[in-house]
Amino acid sequence: MEVLKEKILTEGTIIGSKILKVDSFLNHQIDINLFNEIGKEFKERFSSHEITKILTVEASGIGIACIVAQHFGNIPVVFAKKHEAANLDSDTYETDVFSFTKNKTYKIRASKKYINPEDKILIIDDFLANGNASLGLVEIVRQAKAKVVGVGIVIEKAFQNGRILIENEGIKVESLAIIKSIQDSKIVFKDA
Ligand code: 5GP
């Protein structure tokens, strides 16, 4: 997706050798026009699939998922929660996720009320690195005995191994910008 790649090149900054910071349009301030293009693109890429719900994880996934959902006919969005709270239903699907950006393991949970065996779910997230967040969401869908239709990612870092781990589960992965490498703060995209 050319407009997204352009935005990454002009506004993204690199932290260390592996982390891309895109706070100006994705992770802190949100570019709604770009999100609309992202929604349109995911709709095209998953057009042949029936999707009943979108699942993401808080916090950055929520905004993207909501706009994507509008392109799928305003289907519901469920977001897995990272924090235990008195107002979260006690009956939850949950699993552990290791975050390499934070270097710690946390739990994600979703109420059993909102994912049902008849659901066909598109998982959406902002980044794909080692695949832990997406695979955690896959696990939640499987606990609910629902179907994962695919995983839609805004920015994939192909030098980490998330894609292969998800594809090994027999799940389709669609990423809108795929970064092949980051060398000396230079971002190189994988073609097409
Ligand atoms: P994974 O679980 O695939 O290793 O990493 C994906 C999750 O970590 C995403 O939900 C995202 O929040 C975060 N993440 C991974 N890599 C990056 C990155 O380069 N930049 C930002 N902003 N977040 C990242």
Side-chain angles (χ1 to χ4, degrees), residues 18-20 27 98 100-101 125-133 157:
K18 285 188 178 162
I19 296 187
L20 171 63
N27 291 131
F98 177 75
F100 102 97
T101 51
D125 205 7
D126 56 349
F127 275 88
L128 177 61
N130 293 317
N132 295 305
K157 294 180 293 177

Side-chain angles (χ1 to χ4, degrees), residues 145-161:
K145 300 194 168 27
K147 180 177 164 40
V148 181
V149 172
V151 173
I153 298 291
V154 180
I155 304 173
E156 173 181 342
K157 294 180 293 177
F159 54 87
Q160 294 176 282
N161 64 350

Side-chain angles (χ1 to χ4, degrees), residues 46-64:
F46 288 97
S47 61
S48 61
H49 299 269
E50 190 198 345
I51 292 166
T52 62
K53 232 168 241 183
I54 292 181
L55 177 66
T56 188
V57 58
E58 66 178 349
S60 292
I62 298 174
I64 305 160

Side-chain angles (χ1 to χ4, degrees), residues 132-175:
N132 295 305
S134 294
L135 286 168
L137 293 171
V138 168
E139 170 59 23
I140 280 186
V141 177
R142 289 189 170 158
Q143 286 178 20
K145 300 194 168 27
K147 180 177 164 40
V148 181
V149 172
V151 173
I153 298 291
V154 180
I155 304 173
E156 173 181 342
K157 294 180 293 177
F159 54 87
Q160 294 176 282
N161 64 350
R163 172 180 285 268
I164 188 75
L165 296 177
I166 299 168
E167 286 180 342
N168 283 347
E169 295 292 318
I171 296 169
K172 169 176 167 163
V173 180
E174 287 286 349
S175 304

Side-chain angles (χ1 to χ4, degrees), residues 101-115:
T101 51
K102 299 193 178 80
N103 195 28
K104 65 171 194 191
T105 298
Y106 58 93
K107 220 176 252 311
I108 57 171
R109 340 171 151 74
S111 168
K112 291 188 179 175
K113 277 186 196 158
Y114 304 122
I115 309 173

